[in-house]
């Protein structure tokens, strides 16, 4: 599956202040994009042999009842790594992103990754299917990930 790029690029007006109309347009755009991406991801899932389960935060994971597990608390430490893939299953970066002894509540991570880390068991590996709004969103990562790209994230607790 590949995702169509939306040609509507959002740019704040000169001065950087958005009107309520601009905010409403942006909100509706993200809402519509999320609906489209969720449909594309569900279509992709239907062609896979691995089963994926929806979570309350709007991403899918390879473990049933994943976000119903006991949640790790703020201030606890975790070491983890993850690889990013597009929905053609092409690895985006050669090296995984890796963090050692990160403290919950004190690190900045993709929303889906940080949420998934709250429920992962030590040594466990899970795959996340993430809409762009929970990944790099409207701006991409300004390197290899373009704007509005949903991702497959292979996450492992070390």
């Amino acid at each position: 599956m590949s995702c169509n790029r939306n040609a509507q690029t959002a740019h704040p007006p000169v001065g950087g202040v958005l009107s309520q109309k601009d905010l409403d347009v942006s909100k509706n755009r993200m809402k519509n994009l999320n609906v489209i991406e969720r449909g594309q991801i569900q279509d992709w899932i239907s062609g896979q042999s691995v089963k994926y389960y929806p979570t309350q935060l709007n991403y899918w994971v390879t473990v049933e009842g994943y976000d119903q597990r006991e949640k790790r608390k703020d201030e606890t430490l975790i070491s983890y790594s993850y690889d990013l893939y597009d929905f053609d299953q092409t690895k985006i970066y050669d090296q995984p992103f890796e963090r050692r002894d990160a403290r919950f509540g004190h690190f900045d991570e993709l929303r889906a990754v940080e949420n998934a880390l709250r429920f992962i068991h030590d040594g466990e590996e899970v795959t996340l299917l993430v809409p762009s709004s929970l990944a790099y969103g409207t701006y991409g990562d300004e390197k290899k990930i373009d704007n509005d790209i949903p991702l497959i994230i292979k996450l492992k607790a070390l």
Side-chain angles (χ1 to χ4, degrees):
M1 170 178 106
S2 57
C3 294
N4 294 334
R5 252 177 97 171
N6 192 336
Q8 295 177 330
T9 303
H11 297 285
V14 175
V17 178
L18 294 173
S19 69
Q20 187 60 46
K21 181 182 176 195
D22 292 332
L23 292 172
D24 291 342
V25 167
S26 179
K27 180 179 171 184
N28 288 332
R29 179 190 172 282
M30 286 308 297
K31 185 177 179 182
N32 292 337
L33 180 62
N34 191 43
V35 168
I36 290 167
E37 286 180 1
R38 287 183 63 77
Q40 290 171 330
I41 291 171
Q42 287 174 328
D43 288 346
W44 185 87
I45 289 170
S46 68
Q48 303 303 305
S49 59
V50 174
K51 189 138 172 87
Y52 292 89
Y53 304 91
T55 65
Q56 293 176 7
L57 190 62
N58 194 26
Y59 63 89
W60 290 259
V61 66
T62 49
V63 177
E64 188 172 15
Y66 188 75
D67 58 352
Q68 304 304 311
R69 294 173 170 184
E70 185 177 341
K71 192 174 182 179
R72 293 177 191 251
K73 296 180 179 8
D74 278 350
E75 304 301 325
T76 59
L77 297 177
I78 188 165
S79 296
Y80 61 94
S81 69
Y82 62 92
D83 286 299
L84 302 174
Y85 297 81
D86 62 23
F87 274 83
D88 291 328
Q89 297 188 39
T90 302
K91 192 173 184 180
I92 297 171
Y93 287 101
D94 293 334
Q95 298 298 315
F97 292 87
E98 186 172 310
R99 309 278 187 274
R100 296 279 177 180
D101 297 324
R103 186 179 306 273
F104 280 105
H106 298 280
F107 61 97
D108 186 28
E109 197 54 83
L110 297 175
R111 286 186 3 209
V113 169
E114 187 166 352
N115 180 264
L117 286 169
R118 295 276 185 176
F119 301 101
I120 200 166
H121 294 153
D122 291 340
E124 185 176 29
E125 191 169 342
V126 296
T127 300
L128 315 175
L129 307 179
V130 180
S132 65
S133 63
L134 295 175
Y136 290 95
T138 303
Y139 299 102
D141 73 349
E142 299 179 355
K143 296 174 190 156
K144 291 187 172 191
I145 301 171
D146 211 349
N147 62 313
D148 302 328
I149 301 295
L151 296 173
I152 298 171
I153 302 172
K154 295 189 179 184
L155 176 66
K156 182 174 185 175
L158 305 174

